[in-house]
């Protein structure tokens, strides 16, 4: 089994990068990731002015790019996370959370710490919070541009979506031949919104990928699990992203329902839920979720 190590982290998504390896469709492979602070905040003594300046300039180092054999521009890749294993303590940056606007709390970091993650829990002093790791950054290379890995868009990226976790299949567009997959910025547990810092962890991911024609009308990342269908949109505001995520779900469902667009929209008006992934990044990210048990038709990844 191929193993891709985080020893050549990238801080951008770009078709100009040299792939660190190539996988075949259907092949299971392992990706190891570092935390978003690239280990610098893993111990309390790591909170130095030099490390803080470096972290703010270099958030979200990602492992990749990994090329996918046969993936061509105009296709889509369905990336399945078979296993998400936390491999490091949870790194956090403490904030005083005193500013009038919570948006300014990110600028109130004053120390860092490491939290033990074991036995399926994050340990905060005497408290035990059940771990539910997610992969914050998962992306393909965007079309004809290079963007920071801390950014998010139609290519995926730093979506910080709780549904990107073990068992999920994430569908992403292919804009450069080979797709160029990136992974990183995992959390041990994160509440929807990411209003303040959650425990950042390194992970060991067991992954496979399939390639196919891009679904008609697909404009944004899609996620499938055993229980849910999700569309994810990053936009200038959370209300704009929420509406666009619903519209993306409508387009996805219209192709499979056999109903008119208006009838499909009526069904989704009753069973689809819009919500927040994160409001911490340059573009907030919203999602639209449907429970598969309530959906009157079946949808596929590709």
């Amino acid at each position: 089994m191929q193993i891709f190590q985080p020893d050549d982290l990238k801080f951008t998504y770009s078709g100009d990068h040299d792939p660190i390896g190539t996988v075949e469709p259907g092949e299971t492979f392992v990706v190891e990731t570092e935390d978003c602070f690239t280990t610098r905040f893993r111990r309390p003594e790591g909170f130095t002015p030099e490390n803080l300046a470096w972290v703010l300039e270099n958030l979200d180092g990602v492992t990749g790019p990994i090329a996918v054999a046969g993936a061509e521009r105009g296709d889509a890749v369905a990336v399945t996370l078979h296993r998400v294993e936390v491999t490091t303590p949870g790194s956090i940056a403490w904030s005083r959370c005193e500013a009038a606007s919570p948006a300014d709390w990110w600028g109130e970091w004053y120390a860092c710490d490491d939290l033990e993650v074991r036995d399926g829990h994050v340990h905060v002093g005497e408290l035990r919070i059940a771990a539910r790791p997610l992969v914050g950054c998962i992306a393909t290379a965007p079309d004809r541009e290079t963007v920071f890995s801390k950014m998010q868009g139609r290519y995926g990226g730093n979506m910080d979506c709780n549904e990107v976790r073990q068992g999920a299949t994430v569908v992403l567009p292919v804009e450069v031949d080979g797709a160029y997959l990136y992974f990183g910025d995992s959390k041990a547990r994160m509440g929807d919104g990411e209003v303040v810092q959650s425990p950042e962890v390194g992970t060991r991911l067991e992954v496979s990928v399939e390639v196919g024609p891009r679904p008609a009308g697909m404009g944004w990342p899609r996620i499938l699990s055993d229980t849910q269908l999700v569309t994810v949109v990053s936009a200038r505001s959370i209300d704009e992203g929420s509406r666009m995520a619903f519209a993306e779900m409508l387009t996805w469902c219209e192709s499979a329902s056999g109903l008119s667009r208006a009838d499909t929209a009526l069904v989704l008006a009753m069973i689809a839920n819009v919500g927040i992934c994160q409001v911490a990044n340059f573009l907030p990210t919203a999602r639209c979720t449907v429970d598969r048990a309530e959906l009157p038709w079946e949808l596929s990844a590709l």
Side-chain angles (χ1 to χ4, degrees):
M1 184 181 298
Q2 292 196 75
I3 300 176
F4 298 98
Q5 303 280 357
D7 51 11
D8 183 21
L9 292 176
K10 306 300 190 304
F11 295 89
T12 58
Y13 308 120
S14 175
D16 291 333
H17 289 148
D18 292 328
I20 61 173
T22 301
V23 297
E24 296 289 334
E27 173 187 353
T28 299
F29 56 98
V30 169
V31 181
E32 296 190 356
T33 73
E34 275 295 357
D35 67 71
C36 78
F37 304 129
T38 318
T39 77
R40 282 167 171 77
F41 285 176
R42 194 160 291 171
R43 301 292 299 172
E45 57 269 23
F47 197 83
T48 65
E50 295 78 14
N51 276 351
L52 177 59
W54 191 94
V55 163
L56 294 176
E57 187 71 20
N58 297 281
L59 277 173
D60 298 335
V62 289
T63 304
I66 300 167
V68 181
E72 298 181 347
R73 176 182 169 86
D75 286 339
V77 286
V79 184
T80 299
L81 301 170
H82 299 285
R83 183 174 176 81
V84 178
E85 177 186 356
V86 174
T87 57
T88 72
S91 297
I92 59 168
W94 293 109
S95 171
R96 301 188 190 282
C97 297
E98 293 176 345
S101 171
D104 295 328
W105 293 351
W106 295 97
E108 294 186 312
W109 287 351
Y110 67 91
C112 67
D113 208 346
D114 62 314
L115 302 179
E116 190 176 12
V117 184
R118 61 176 171 83
D119 302 327
H121 289 80
V122 181
H123 294 254
V124 186
E126 298 300 317
L127 301 177
R128 285 161 40 97
I129 308 298
R132 191 178 68 180
L134 68 138
V135 182
C137 291
I138 180 169
T140 52
D143 180 27
R144 293 183 291 182
E145 62 179 332
T146 295
V147 298
F148 288 119
S149 54
K150 62 184 178 183
M151 298 298 291
Q152 51 288 136
R154 293 178 182 270
Y155 50 85
N158 189 19
M159 299 180 291
D160 287 319
C161 177
N162 262 309
E163 281 69 25
V164 182
R165 60 181 186 262
Q166 183 168 300
T169 296
V170 182
V171 184
L172 297 168
V174 176
E175 297 294 352
V176 302
D177 291 349
Y180 285 26
L181 300 175
Y182 300 85
F183 302 84
D185 185 39
S186 297
K187 279 86 169 159
R189 177 74 183 261
M190 186 192 82
D192 288 342
E194 197 184 17
V195 176
V196 295
Q197 182 71 57
S198 57
E200 307 282 352
V201 294
T203 53
R204 185 180 190 273
L205 312 176
E206 291 187 11
V207 183
S208 67
V209 58
E210 299 292 345
V211 180
R214 190 175 307 175
M218 176 185 165
W220 292 89
R222 299 174 176 182
I223 304 168
L224 300 89
S225 71
D226 290 341
T227 59
Q228 291 183 318
L229 302 170
V230 186
T231 52
V232 183
V233 173
S234 299
R236 293 172 296 178
S237 66
I238 201 65
D239 54 337
E240 179 184 2
S242 297
R243 295 186 186 101
M244 291 173 64
F246 184 95
E248 182 75 15
M249 181 65 75
L250 174 57
T251 296
W252 192 5
C253 289
E254 182 185 11
S255 64
S257 69
L259 302 175
S260 70
R261 187 169 178 83
D263 285 346
T264 306
L266 176 61
V267 172
L268 292 181
M270 293 184 279
I271 66 172
N273 298 296
V274 296
I276 298 171
C277 297
Q278 59 77 21
V279 294
N281 300 331
F282 181 75
L283 296 175
T285 301
R287 66 174 180 265
C288 182
T289 304
V290 172
D291 290 338
R292 297 185 78 163
E294 291 196 285
L295 199 64
W297 49 80
E298 185 58 37
L299 297 181
S300 60
L302 297 174

